[in-house]
Amino acid sequence: MSKATKALSALRAISGRHTTITIDGEDFEVFGLSGAAIVDLMFRFPEVKSIIATAKEQLAAGKGVLAIIDEIDSSDLLALGEDVVGAAIAWALHAGTDDEAEGFARDLPASVQILILKASFQRTFPDKLEGFLKALGLSLASEADESGNQTDSNSGSQN
């Protein structure tokens, strides 16, 4: 068997992996977001790109991912809006950029949206976010946290 045939066989084996969730008696196959899906979300919705750019700057400055997440203002998340949620769910259900799928996903109850997004997150990051960041050479903790200094997130003082 050639290397290309082995690679194709391996890709086929993992490409269809999904999590099946049941909502109101209906089964949904939920997939992780591909790189293409993430890029689509970044470029279709500048708010997503802006949040990622800010996080990238903070990571470069040595701030840990948990601290960055803690500082994300709820207004930043609200600015993402229902369109981003609908698009992310459509991608998670392998509907891509289908306008009708995005519309239905956008109008789902929040509890259903959360179930789908949670399953997709788990498929996108099977080693959890920490494993993904570690693979990129990043850490959840800031450099100060890793050196043993702890920062109180409420007061900003070190213990």
Side-chain angles (χ1 to χ4, degrees), residues 20-73:
T20 300
I21 61 172
T22 303
I23 301 168
D24 292 337
E26 296 291 329
D27 288 342
F28 293 87
E29 291 181 350
V30 181
F31 298 83
L33 299 184
S34 66
I38 293 169
V39 168
D40 172 72
L41 292 172
M42 285 175 55
F43 285 98
R44 282 179 49 206
F45 305 100
E47 302 88 353
V48 174
K49 191 174 181 180
S50 173
I51 287 175
I52 291 172
T54 300
K56 184 178 175 183
E57 290 170 7
Q58 292 175 331
L59 282 169
K63 186 171 279 189
V65 173
L66 292 178
I68 294 169
I69 291 170
D70 191 43
E71 288 180 5
I72 293 176
D73 192 299

Side-chain angles (χ1 to χ4, degrees), residues 67 142 144-145 148-159:
S142 69
D145 291 339
N149 296 326
Q150 294 183 347
T151 303
D152 180 348
S153 63
N154 292 328
S155 67
S157 64
Q158 291 190 342
N159 298 328

Side-chain angles (χ1 to χ4, degrees), residues 3 6 13 16-17 31-32 38 41 72 89 97 103 117 125 132 138 141 157:
K3 286 184 181 183
K6 283 182 182 180
R17 291 189 180 166
F31 298 83
I38 293 169
L41 292 172
I72 293 176
I89 289 172
T97 58
L117 291 172
F125 304 107
F132 173 73
L138 303 172
S157 64

